Amino acid sequence: MPEYVMSNAWEQERRRLAYLEEMADPATQRQFTTIGVTAGWRCLEIGGGAGSIARWLSERVGSEGEVVATDIDTRFLEEIRAPNVRVLRHDASTEPLPEGGFDLIHARAVLMHLSARREVLGRMAAALKPGGWLVVEDSDVFTLSLSPPNPFRSLVEKSIAAVGRVGVIDWSWGHTLPVRMAELGLVEIGAELHGRFFQGGSPAAQFWTLGVRQVAPAGLAAGVVVQAEVDEAVKWLADPKALSCSPGHVSARGRKPPA
Ligand SMILES: C[S@@+](CC[C@H](N)C(=O)[O-])C[C@H]1O[C@@H](n2cnc3c(N)ncnc32)[C@H](O)[C@@H]1O
């Protein structure tokens, strides 16, 4: 049984992932441009979701390159029509990574959901070619505390306090990525951290609303939150007068030393 508490099978998940892509793709593409992703690279996209990054990489690496795009649920990735993209149903927690060595391995908003995140990060670093790049991006909740108290913030903080009961999401993992990459022997490490203030009703607010609705059943079933708290947070997120800082987004890169 996958431990991922969200699900690509949820009727609104495509929409939620589209909001994520809209918000996060610019930072991801900046990392790729910085490291110089180019024609002929062999790339591994882990937990590719709705596929915007696999598509972007496919265009960048061209016909001489390859993008292996994995997910435990490949329903959206299978829509990609590009001869240099290979879609693989694959569980990064339990299965070995595809072999052959990669110039780039990327995972965004995936490892924070896996209890084996540290081991998976190690396997990703090991699967790089000499000189290859690892780009890993995950959330870190601490920027949420920059918000004045609000129903969304209190719902998230309460769920985190009870994290063991609502799943394995680690909301404090993102900021550790640069140090963990260094511990794995990677070099040329760099990272960006983004916090985003958003108003109720905005695309960011809609992304968080859908996230709340995705995980609410697990939180309710575990008795961590009550329906009135979920309803209040959702109502608040729709109010144009509401203003909050989101959890942060950490985008980290490191390179396997060239041979
Ligand atoms: C929050 S979504 C992020 C999607 C995409 N990386 C993005 O940022 O747009 C997490 C994705 O990871 C996938 N996933 C969850 N657990 C996984 C695992 N153990 N191995 C591979 N993919 C996994 C989910 O199915 C989902 O598509």
Side-chain angles (χ1 to χ4, degrees):
M1 269 293 284
E3 57 192 351
Y4 184 53
V5 288
M6 308 188 121
S7 167
N8 289 357
W10 185 48
E11 42 154 24
Q12 296 284 340
E13 187 60 3
R14 185 64 194 257
R15 212 175 123 223
R16 193 183 77 86
L17 291 175
Y19 283 130
L20 173 61
E21 293 180 346
E22 185 184 329
M23 291 189 294
D25 280 6
T28 307
Q29 291 166 10
R30 245 191 331 274
Q31 291 284 5
F32 292 168
T33 302
T34 301
I35 66 180
V37 178
T38 190
W41 276 29
R42 184 164 189 258
C43 305
L44 175 61
E45 165 72 346
I46 296 179
S52 66
I53 293 304
R55 286 184 175 87
W56 190 95
L57 287 170
S58 154
E59 288 194 7
R60 188 56 76 101
V61 304
S63 57
E64 303 296 304
E66 184 188 27
V67 180
V68 181
T70 78
D71 207 294
I72 45 168
D73 182 339
T74 54
R75 70 184 64 208
F76 305 132
L77 294 177
E78 276 155 23
E79 294 166 11
I80 300 176
R81 297 277 169 266
N84 63 351
V85 175
R86 182 154 61 95
V87 174
L88 207 59
R89 182 178 294 266
H90 177 269
D91 185 334
S93 288
T94 56
E95 295 178 273
L97 292 178
E99 289 182 357
F102 291 93
D103 299 291
L104 168 68
I105 302 181
H106 173 247
R108 183 176 74 195
V110 179
L111 268 57
M112 62 184 287
H113 293 282
L114 310 180
S115 53
R117 56 187 73 83
R118 290 186 67 161
E119 294 77 7
V120 175
L121 188 71
R123 289 206 291 275
M124 290 165 74
L128 292 168
K129 290 179 185 169
W133 286 92
L134 189 58
V135 177
V136 181
E137 308 177 82
D138 273 304
S139 298
D140 201 301
V141 77
F142 74 92
T143 51
L144 186 64
S145 65
L146 302 174
S147 309
N150 66 57
F152 166 62
R153 176 180 166 186
S154 62
L155 185 76
V156 174
E157 288 178 346
K158 202 168 164 188
S159 303
I160 289 169
V163 71
R165 291 159 65 198
V166 290
V168 300
I169 303 175
D170 186 340
W171 282 97
S172 305
W173 155 260
H175 77 271
T176 69
L177 286 168
V179 171
R180 293 190 192 282
M181 286 184 175
E183 286 169 356
L184 289 167
L186 301 187
V187 297
E188 298 182 48
I189 290 168
E192 291 183 11
L193 162 66
H194 299 273
R196 176 187 291 259
F197 277 90
F198 65 92
Q199 286 192 276
S202 63
Q206 292 182 48
F207 169 72
W208 290 109
T209 301
L210 292 171
V212 166
R213 289 181 54 201
Q214 255 273 36
V215 298
L220 292 167
V224 168
V225 293
V226 296
Q227 188 66 52
E229 291 169 304
V230 175
D231 293 345
E232 201 192 347
V234 168
K235 189 169 160 216
W236 188 84
L237 284 163
D239 180 353
K241 292 195 291 302
L243 185 65
S244 182
C245 188
S246 68
H249 178 80
V250 179
S251 185
R253 65 174 182 272
R255 188 177 198 192
K256 191 167 194 163

